[in-house]
Amino acid sequence: MSNPVFFTAAGSLDGLGPGDSFMLDGAEARHAVTVKRLEIGEAVDIADGAGKRLTGTVAESGQGTLTVLASAVQEEHQPAVRLVLVQALAKGDRDELAVETATELGIDAVVPWQAERSIVRWKGDRAAKAHAKWQSVATAAAKQARRAWIPEVRAAVDGSGLAAAVAAADLAIILHEDAKRPLREVLEKWHGGVSDADAGAGREVLLIVGPEGGISPREVTKLSDVGAVTALLGHHVLRSSTAGPAAVVLASDILGRW
């Protein structure tokens, strides 16, 4: 069974190696001590959310602190092709469910999208709180999945902002029920055309998912004009909370991430 994971601040594990001690404090330490009830000698992982993982055993626990003796410290590099979920805001917390599941499946970043047909709106104070909630959901899901990387929830975008992101991406795919080409075909063709040198440079694929009412024809046209392609995920219409995670699974297999 894999070790439980607790997060610390990015960079706080730098310079540590086997035999060194690390003291975890704050909410994560309290969770380890009071909820998980970790005892001296138990195995545990401490990750900084930016790819560094310390594996060790509990040496000491106190009120609000956990001291871990490191047996190994490893750097987990990001995949050569990073997957970014562009998730339209959706009602009933379905957008948060998409973020949670996609994180467990390995998504590298998430972009909240205020689509034309999104019923939910992020405005004023609500926008900051909603963004923080998405990041909290991603962090909790990364912890559950024992990940060393916490996906970044990027700034929310509207149609113009998404068009700019599409234009800058290596590949942007609109998951659309009226598309002619299957997602597998689109990904295999693109991946086959990427040279080894380019693949090692770190490339991003955007997976664009619309809201409950779907992506409007005007949005499809606007995004296609700046380089996006449409792709069919399957024969059935999926919920906004399901499409993104399903695409992550297929893309991770085709792109050699799994």
Side-chain angles (χ1 to χ4, degrees), residues 63-249:
Q63 270 198 321
T65 62
L66 186 79
T67 301
V68 179
L69 180 63
S71 58
V73 179
Q74 297 177 322
E75 186 80 32
E76 299 180 11
H77 299 288
Q78 288 188 311
V81 180
R82 294 187 295 272
L83 297 177
V84 178
L85 173 62
V86 178
Q87 177 64 49
L89 306 187
K91 65 180 182 180
D93 296 334
R94 291 199 173 276
D95 46 16
E96 292 177 12
L97 178 58
V99 173
E100 178 182 54
T101 310
T103 298
E104 293 176 7
L105 293 168
I107 201 73
D108 298 298
V110 178
V111 178
W113 173 33
Q114 186 76 67
E116 288 183 7
R117 294 175 177 173
S118 289
I119 297 174
V120 174
R121 296 283 158 179
W122 285 11
K123 296 180 180 179
D125 292 341
R126 175 185 173 88
K129 291 179 180 178
H131 185 277
K133 179 66 181 298
W134 276 37
Q135 187 63 72
S136 177
V137 167
T139 300
K143 184 175 180 179
Q144 171 66 34
R146 313 296 203 264
R147 293 184 58 173
W149 284 94
I150 298 175
E152 172 196 9
V153 178
R154 297 176 181 173
V157 296
D158 57 11
S160 296
L162 180 54
V166 166
D170 296 289
L171 176 64
I173 302 173
I174 304 169
L175 302 177
H176 200 281
E177 61 183 294
D178 293 333
K180 303 302 180 184
R181 291 193 296 165
L183 177 58
R184 174 176 293 278
E185 179 184 316
V186 172
L187 287 169
E188 287 179 341
K189 181 178 180 180
W190 176 80
H191 191 47
V194 175
S195 68
D196 292 340
D198 288 340
R203 300 168 76 83
E204 283 195 348
V205 173
L206 305 187
L207 300 172
I208 303 171
V209 178
E212 306 93 318
I215 302 174
S216 73
R218 179 167 53 184
E219 288 172 319
V220 173
T221 299
K222 184 175 182 178
L223 296 176
S224 298
D225 286 345
V226 291
V229 296
T230 59
L232 184 65
L233 185 55
H235 297 296
H236 306 282
V237 177
L238 301 180
R239 289 184 181 273
S240 182
S241 56
T242 310
V248 171
V249 171

Side-chain angles (χ1 to χ4, degrees), residues 6-8 21-40 44 46 57-69:
F6 298 92
F7 286 119
T8 185
S21 293
F22 177 78
M23 188 176 74
L24 182 71
D25 57 12
E28 286 289 89
R30 289 191 293 273
H31 184 238
V33 173
T34 62
V35 179
K36 302 295 287 187
R37 298 186 180 276
L38 294 184
E39 299 180 352
I40 293 174
V44 65
I46 308 295
T57 55
V58 176
E60 184 180 346
S61 64
Q63 270 198 321
T65 62
L66 186 79
T67 301
V68 179
L69 180 63

